Amino acid sequence: MQIRDVMTEGVVTAALAASVREVAELMRERNVGSVVLVDQGGNPSGFVTDRDLAVSVLADGRDPGDPAEGHASTPVVTGSPEMAVEEAAELMVAHGIRRLPVLDGGRLTGIVTMDDLAVRTGDLELAHHMTSQIARAALPDFYFHVRGE
């Protein structure tokens, strides 16, 4: 199975100059948890998630008028539509990411999330592997905490 079989084709994007508030409003209006920031040529340049907004904007008391670019994750790791689902999963695990924008000939054509891979493939073993590995990458202190000290 290839990424094209499980990806979502409607990618929510915003310009690099978009404000944090504009990105948050896009997330609300489109009911998504992330927005890909694109440059003038439409190339993915950053990635803003709802968690980014909560942790680096709201919790830090930042101005909602700030450019979202300053709170985006970079560089953007991407896949291609022909990529095998297992290959995409390993790429996501290797980079500790839950979302993978899909480029076809340099054009942003879709996005695949960890949830997409789990639900749309029906491969519970793949889902479990990805979930545990990405959680370990995101929370190393939790998994590698020396107990009793």
Side-chain angles (χ1 to χ4, degrees):
M1 183 177 289
Q2 295 179 324
I3 288 302
R4 74 171 75 252
D5 301 322
V6 296
M7 73 181 191
T8 299
E9 292 183 7
V11 183
V12 179
T13 63
L16 283 172
S19 71
V20 168
R21 180 181 308 281
E22 291 169 325
V23 169
E25 289 170 352
L26 261 176
M27 287 181 187
R28 181 185 62 212
E29 290 165 9
R30 301 287 299 274
N31 194 30
V32 295
S34 63
V35 172
V36 178
L37 299 181
V38 295
D39 63 18
Q40 291 179 342
N43 302 308
S45 297
F47 211 93
V48 179
T49 66
D50 46 8
R51 185 175 192 284
D52 293 331
L53 296 180
V55 172
S56 76
V57 178
L58 188 58
D60 286 345
R62 303 294 296 269
D63 182 350
D66 283 353
E69 179 181 18
H71 303 282
S73 298
T74 59
V76 178
V77 177
T78 62
S80 68
E82 303 82 26
M83 183 179 279
V85 166
E86 296 81 9
E87 184 183 356
E90 288 306 317
L91 181 64
M92 293 167 79
V93 166
H95 290 277
I97 57 174
R98 299 175 50 90
R99 298 163 181 89
L100 185 70
V102 179
L103 298 180
D104 189 3
R107 196 176 121 254
L108 183 62
T109 58
I111 191 164
V112 67
T113 67
M114 188 171 71
D115 294 342
D116 293 335
L117 293 178
V119 173
R120 294 180 183 167
T121 65
D123 187 338
L124 296 179
E125 186 175 319
L126 175 67
H128 174 70
H129 171 72
M130 287 186 69
T131 302
S132 64
Q133 293 302 313
I134 290 174
R136 284 178 187 262
L139 303 167
D141 292 338
F142 176 80
Y143 285 95
F144 301 107
H145 177 73
V146 178
R147 309 236 185 257
E149 288 188 23

